[in-house]
Amino acid sequence: MKKTLTTLALGATLAAGPALAELTFPSLSYRTGPYAANGIPFADGYADYFAMLNERDGGIGGERINMIECETGYNTEKGVECYEATKGEGALVYQPLSTGITYQLIPRVSADGIPMHTLGYGRTSASNGEVFPWVFNYPATYWDGASVAIKYLLDENGGDLSGKKIALVYHNSAYGKEPIRTLTELSEEHGFELLELPVDHPGQEQKSQWLQIRRERPDNVIMWGWGVMNQVAIQEAVNIRYPMDQFIGIWWSGSENDVRPAGEGADGYKALNFHAVGSDFELYDDLEEYVWSKGNAAGAGDQHGTVLYNRGLYAAMIAAEGARKAQEIHGTSAITPAMMRDGLEQLEMTEESMAELGLAGFGPTFSASCENHGGSGRAAINQWNASEGKWEVLTDYIQSDQELIARLVQEDSMAYAEENNIELACQ
Amino acid sequence: MPDQLLFAIEVTLNGLMAGVLYALVALGFVLIFKASGIFNYAQGVMALFAALTLVGIMDGQVPFEHLINAVFGTDIHGFGWEVPALLAILLTMVVMIAFAWAVNWIVLRHLVGQEPIILFMATIGLAYFLEGLGDMMWGADIKTLDVGLPQGINTTIDEATFNMFGYGFFIDNLDITATIIAAVLVAVLVAFSQYTKQGRALRAVADDHQAALSVGISLNFIWVLTWSIAGFVALVAGIMWGAKSGVQFSLSLIALKALPVLMLGGFTSIPGAIVGGLIIGVGEKLFEFLVGPLVGGATENWFAYVLALIFLVFRPQGLFGERIIERV
């Protein structure tokens, strides 16, 4: 009897588990908790892209995609639990959508030999592939974001920021503090005064910071926020009548969620972005035909075309193209995490390749290498049009100060390598 | 007048206003603790749930819309009507009263006489359940709340102070409204507890629920009444905070702002919640203004607790709390 039960249990487990040749992409999502409003559109875009590939192409290279969704609630401990629970399923790449979870996973993925892609978040200096061979953060990093914001302001001010005052309103966390080093260096180089204004988590009360902004009247405000901090900051800026077109958020402070609660007052607010907005892409036709029209849209299906939905699509597209590249390099469709790493490391996104995917002009072109896991470091400026209720693209992709970023990345990553006795790759 | 002094006055005034908003959250805790001895961990989530319900009703959203669509394959997207703010507030209150009744009927009446820690644990479970229920009923997206409250700088104060001092003070119209509403709310609560039969019964239960039971006061009724009033206070707090940031799930975290207020003002005093809120509001804002720049800023969250702890050292029962004397 006992033997029969064991056999049945084993059989059931094998039947429920993924087929061995499937390509497994875990989705560490957050559909619940304080950050759910941002986590949902990203997770929906991520899931819909893979569902579309399965329906339209039968997966990637003939292998069907098995996407495992695990709820983190944007909680670092739960994120690590999700990683531990799913890594044994043959996970090819992790995209945790949280800087906190990223920091916890860096040593784990390095030890386990599973790639991690942190799309425009996480540890900036992980863009040095020599020190972080398993971590990728292209197409742009936080430091690129800080540099692009300053370059844009230079452009707006005739190339001269000397004597200007720029305030940085940031989430008082590892994430929020990321741009400080870059902005400090840039303030010395360009002669502007940097006013640092930390906001404690979660950021529901920011009166002190915005009273200070009202008193000190900085020429520009740059924001590094997430979740409720963004909405409150934009509302407070409206309240003190700060000119919205002088207020720029990082790409995590630039979704519809962030501006809508402030209504018309948010008109003119700017934000960086490293991918396109809206739904005017051929890929959207395929999503409609193969996924949405069949009632298979992820979630409620009401996020299509939003900034964070597009970001989820973009993240999934990069993962899929990494897998395709890995299949090409190794001549097999059934790739391992190590092969996936090779694919991500040799990934090249060109105008042609994006057009072929139905995403012409969707993101900046970039090519990765053994040393460079951070991409080209380019981002565009978007501006919120409140009356039309949509983001408008204000600039082309602006190149960050690569010389400065490379130096900072080198210093930080080498210090990490020394601290952790890491042998450099790419030698 | 020196600039720094003007700025300090402006910060103090804004601190007082922020304190009122903290006090609004703390009031809900006090009401339930006073009547039943329960520290209601779910108070922040109640504010969120009330605000979600209000917006859902105003926007004509169908409750459990996503769930219904997923299970039955339908494509429902709202009733197609909008409900005026005042009517929506009344309907939300009906929901909060139903919630109070359900909490009492399903949870609390089975726990009468249990240790306070058990009741506290029950409210933790309640908080997570309510958060999930709110998500399923109304969705997790950020909702814009517009019940017609004025927002933005008060130009009268700005101009008047500018004419007087050459510097216009910033006072948010929403904060002024919150202050007026809080004052009215406290007055109504005090009048209710002093001059109505139910209010007196509530006070009797708060003083000694065994004695109250012995004279025929229904504990069930009082608890439903208390949770309903706390639900109403949560709705007011949800409206005020939701107007600032949109109604979203982080709204439940406003409870964190109420804890130092409760520590300072005492868990059993309505005036304590108000005065505690004002002290915490002014204290944290002034500390951030004067000391924040020297220590890198972001002092408000922790300083509020330091301030509360300092008061606790001298008055363990809080500023207005009842002194506990145990005779051996």
Side-chain angles (χ1 to χ4, degrees):
Chain A
M1 179 67 181
K2 193 177 174 186
K3 194 178 170 187
T4 314
L5 280 175
T6 311
T7 313
L8 278 173
L10 187 64
T13 310
L14 286 173
L20 286 175
E22 278 183 337
L23 304 176
T24 301
F25 294 95
S27 169
L28 269 53
S29 62
Y30 37 98
R31 294 180 180 276
T32 62
Y35 299 97
N38 289 341
I40 288 169
F42 186 94
D44 285 357
Y46 200 72
D48 281 352
Y49 189 81
F50 287 133
M52 190 270 300
L53 288 184
N54 271 343
E55 289 301 307
R56 189 189 65 185
D57 308 335
I60 304 167
E63 301 292 345
R64 285 190 72 79
I65 296 159
N66 172 35
M67 198 203 76
I68 310 168
E69 192 160 341
C70 184
E71 172 69 33
T72 70
Y74 197 66
N75 176 298
T76 301
E77 288 77 26
K78 280 189 192 166
V80 174
E81 279 174 30
C82 279
Y83 170 78
E84 293 296 339
T86 55
K87 71 178 184 185
E89 302 283 323
L92 290 176
V93 62
Y94 280 90
Q95 301 192 327
L97 195 59
S98 152
T99 295
I101 298 173
T102 298
Y103 270 76
Q104 290 301 313
L105 291 190
I106 286 174
R108 290 169 194 262
V109 295
S110 304
D112 295 336
I114 303 173
M116 175 163 64
H117 178 214
T118 59
L119 180 88
Y121 60 92
R123 186 185 182 119
T124 294
S125 64
S127 61
N128 184 354
E130 287 189 298
V131 179
F132 300 93
W134 294 94
V135 186
F136 300 82
N137 50 12
Y138 42 64
T141 66
Y142 288 139
W143 296 353
D144 291 317
S147 169
V148 167
I150 297 303
K151 270 199 158 184
Y152 172 71
L153 293 178
L154 274 166
D155 195 40
E156 289 282 285
N157 289 277
D160 183 18
L161 286 175
S162 56
K164 299 273 184 192
K165 192 185 279 186
I166 297 174
L168 171 70
V169 179
Y170 65 95
H171 194 267
N172 194 27
S173 62
Y175 152 65
K177 289 174 184 170
E178 276 277 336
I180 293 176
R181 175 94 194 274
T182 313
L183 289 173
T184 305
E185 294 265 348
L186 288 167
S187 71
E188 284 162 12
E189 187 183 330
H190 297 291
F192 64 84
E193 185 189 342
L194 180 66
L195 180 66
E196 294 171 27
L197 298 170
V199 173
D200 265 333
H201 173 81
Q204 254 153 346
E205 173 56 36
Q206 298 178 33
K207 197 68 85 190
S208 297
Q209 289 77 11
W210 288 94
L211 281 176
Q212 194 173 346
I213 287 172
R214 186 169 178 267
R215 287 195 299 268
E216 305 218 13
R217 302 206 166 277
D219 298 282
N220 294 92
V221 174
I222 296 175
M223 174 161 67
W224 235 259
W226 185 230
V228 70
M229 179 188 153
N230 292 337
Q231 293 98 46
V232 173
I234 292 169
Q235 183 61 59
E236 292 287 4
V238 173
N239 288 348
I240 68 161
R241 296 176 180 166
Y242 190 81
M244 295 310 282
D245 59 353
Q246 291 173 33
F247 188 10
I248 305 175
I250 183 64
W251 39 72
W252 299 112
S253 302
S255 77
E256 292 82 358
N257 288 336
D258 302 323
V259 283
R260 282 204 172 121
E264 286 293 322
D267 189 60
Y269 170 75
K270 294 172 181 170
L272 288 107
N273 206 344
F274 50 76
H275 57 78
V277 293
S279 54
D280 194 13
F281 298 95
E282 281 178 28
L283 178 86
Y284 265 76
D285 298 336
D286 287 351
L287 286 166
E288 174 65 38
E289 185 181 346
Y290 294 99
V291 185
W292 305 337
S293 64
K294 294 181 177 174
N296 293 329
D302 55 359
Q303 300 291 331
H304 307 155
T306 63
V307 168
L308 292 172
Y309 181 86
N310 278 9
R311 197 162 296 164
L313 284 178
Y314 190 50
M317 182 270 277
I318 286 178
E321 291 313 296
R324 208 184 301 279
K325 188 76 184 173
Q327 290 173 335
E328 186 189 312
I329 296 166
H330 292 281
T332 174
S333 59
I335 55 170
T336 63
M339 293 174 185
M340 179 74 187
R341 197 202 74 85
D342 295 342
L344 289 168
E345 199 163 82
Q346 293 182 42
L347 186 64
E348 192 178 0
M349 295 309 302
T350 62
E351 293 293 357
E352 293 74 30
S353 61
M354 282 187 285
E356 271 176 38
L357 295 167
L359 289 167
F362 196 80
T365 57
F366 68 88
S367 57
S369 68
C370 183
E371 294 82 10
N372 178 9
H373 286 192
S376 57
R378 294 192 293 148
I381 305 286
N382 292 345
Q383 188 167 37
W384 178 246
N385 182 333
S387 56
E388 301 218 358
K390 66 175 188 182
W391 288 97
E392 285 168 355
V393 179
L394 214 58
T395 68
D396 287 333
Y397 290 110
I398 300 169
Q399 179 65 64
S400 64
D401 185 340
Q402 288 289 278
E403 200 180 312
L404 171 70
I405 307 296
R407 176 166 62 79
L408 295 178
V409 165
Q410 191 69 10
E411 282 173 19
D412 193 82
S413 57
M414 285 307 170
Y416 181 87
E418 203 170 309
E419 233 172 71
N420 295 281
N421 293 320
I422 292 171
E423 203 176 310
L424 299 186
C426 316
Q427 301 294 318
Chain B
M1 206 181 282
D3 283 354
Q4 282 301 308
L5 185 59
L6 285 173
F7 296 156
I9 294 170
E10 184 188 37
V11 167
T12 304
L13 289 171
N14 276 280
L16 286 169
M17 303 282 179
V20 171
L21 283 168
Y22 302 162
L24 271 177
V25 186
L27 264 179
F29 283 96
V30 168
L31 285 166
I32 290 179
F33 191 84
K34 200 172 160 63
S36 58
I38 299 172
F39 179 79
N40 179 23
Y41 183 85
Q43 189 64 34
V45 188
M46 280 168 66
L48 163 70
F49 183 77
L52 280 173
T53 306
L54 175 63
V55 181
I57 292 171
M58 283 176 73
D59 293 347
Q61 205 180 330
V62 177
F64 302 105
E65 195 173 271
H66 298 326
L67 193 65
I68 293 167
N69 287 342
V71 173
F72 300 106
T74 50
D75 191 26
I76 300 169
H77 291 289
F79 289 114
W81 66 58
E82 287 189 1
V83 177
L86 198 60
L87 180 60
I89 289 172
L90 291 174
L91 290 171
T92 306
M93 256 329 290
V94 173
V95 174
M96 295 312 287
I97 291 168
F99 168 74
W101 180 84
V103 167
N104 188 57
W105 188 254
I106 299 167
V107 184
L108 296 181
R109 73 190 181 103
H110 302 293
L111 299 176
V112 172
Q114 294 293 322
E115 292 288 319
I117 187 69
I118 304 289
L119 293 161
F120 172 62
M121 290 297 185
T123 66
I124 292 178
L126 191 63
Y128 284 99
F129 164 74
L130 196 57
E131 200 168 289
L133 182 72
D135 188 355
M136 277 202 290
M137 271 180 89
W138 306 112
D141 52 318
I142 299 172
K143 296 161 176 66
T144 305
L145 177 63
D146 184 11
V147 291
L149 295 175
Q151 275 211 69
I153 188 168
N154 184 291
T155 47
T156 311
I157 294 173
D158 182 31
E159 283 164 17
T161 48
F162 186 82
N163 291 335
M164 266 192 278
F165 310 117
Y167 175 76
F169 286 177
F170 173 85
I171 304 287
D172 192 342
N173 279 319
L174 184 70
D175 291 345
I176 296 172
T177 313
T179 305
I180 294 166
I181 289 173
V184 172
L185 192 64
V186 170
V188 169
L189 285 174
V190 169
F192 174 79
S193 65
Q194 296 288 340
Y195 303 114
T196 65
K197 188 181 163 191
Q198 289 78 10
R200 283 195 290 270
L202 201 147
R203 282 165 53 212
V205 171
D207 282 345
D208 186 338
H209 75 265
Q210 296 284 7
L213 276 171
S214 70
V215 295
I217 294 171
S218 161
L219 201 58
N220 275 335
F221 171 72
I222 291 301
W223 278 17
V224 171
L225 181 67
T226 308
W227 279 74
S228 299
I229 297 171
F232 176 64
V233 173
L235 173 61
V236 175
I239 291 172
M240 292 302 160
W241 284 90
K244 282 161 78 88
S245 60
V247 177
Q248 54 181 301
F249 277 71
S250 56
L251 204 61
S252 62
L253 300 176
I254 57 173
L256 296 174
K257 282 290 182 189
L259 290 183
V261 173
L262 293 166
M263 287 162 70
L264 199 150
F267 283 76
T268 53
S269 167
I270 290 173
I274 300 294
V275 176
L278 296 178
I279 292 173
I280 291 289
V282 172
E284 66 174 27
K285 293 284 179 289
L286 271 180
F287 188 81
E288 176 69 23
F289 173 68
L290 297 169
V291 184
L294 307 175
V295 295
T299 61
E300 287 168 270
N301 273 7
W302 61 264
F303 183 72
Y305 284 89
V306 170
L307 198 58
L309 283 171
I310 292 169
F311 272 82
L312 274 189
V313 169
F314 296 101
R315 276 190 69 87
Q317 69 273 36
L319 214 50
F320 290 78
E322 289 157 12
R323 197 163 181 196
I324 302 156
I325 302 168
E326 288 197 14
R327 292 188 175 83
V328 180

